[in-house]
Amino acid sequence: MKWEQVRKQFPEQWVLVEAISAYSDNSIRYPDELSVISNFPDSTTAWKEYKKLHLAEPSREYYIFHTDIETLEVEEQKFIGVRRRLQ
């Protein structure tokens, strides 16, 4: 499903989606084809569900967006690892 279709089907809502296809350009990720997992009236509930899914399947590309956003652009951040204190 394209983002325009998601916006029409779920107006003024938070949606949890999985990117079926996406591409990157200049450290910006552009989700192209989406699968809507669920919709929510508030971001707090959406984040709780996102955390559960991401913990179970960390390799999948899950996102939370509000359908008021016209264009999807996600800034890519490099994972630098977990820090630990040396003693």
Side-chain angles (χ1 to χ4, degrees):
M1 181 180 284
K2 298 290 185 188
W3 179 241
E4 296 81 24
Q5 295 169 305
V6 175
R7 292 184 71 213
K8 286 179 186 174
Q9 191 169 345
F10 302 98
E12 298 180 15
Q13 294 181 49
W14 290 94
V15 289
L16 173 58
V17 298
E18 179 179 3
I20 304 303
S21 67
Y23 63 95
S24 295
D25 186 28
N26 292 324
S27 297
I28 302 291
R29 190 83 172 143
Y30 297 96
D32 187 37
E33 195 67 30
L34 303 167
S35 174
V36 177
I37 296 168
S38 194
N39 60 307
F40 304 90
D42 60 86
S43 63
T44 304
T45 310
W47 274 110
K48 286 179 184 177
E49 187 62 26
Y50 169 86
K51 287 177 191 177
K52 287 182 202 172
L53 289 174
H54 183 68
L55 237 108
E57 298 277 348
S59 62
R60 295 175 83 167
E61 221 174 318
Y62 296 117
Y63 297 103
I64 297 171
F65 298 113
H66 196 277
T67 55
D68 284 348
I69 298 170
E70 290 186 28
T71 306
L72 296 184
E73 294 182 355
V74 180
E75 185 178 335
E76 293 181 323
Q77 297 180 347
K78 303 292 182 207
F79 180 69
I80 58 172
V82 178
R83 293 184 184 189
R84 68 176 190 162
R85 188 174 182 183
L86 298 175
Q87 295 181 355

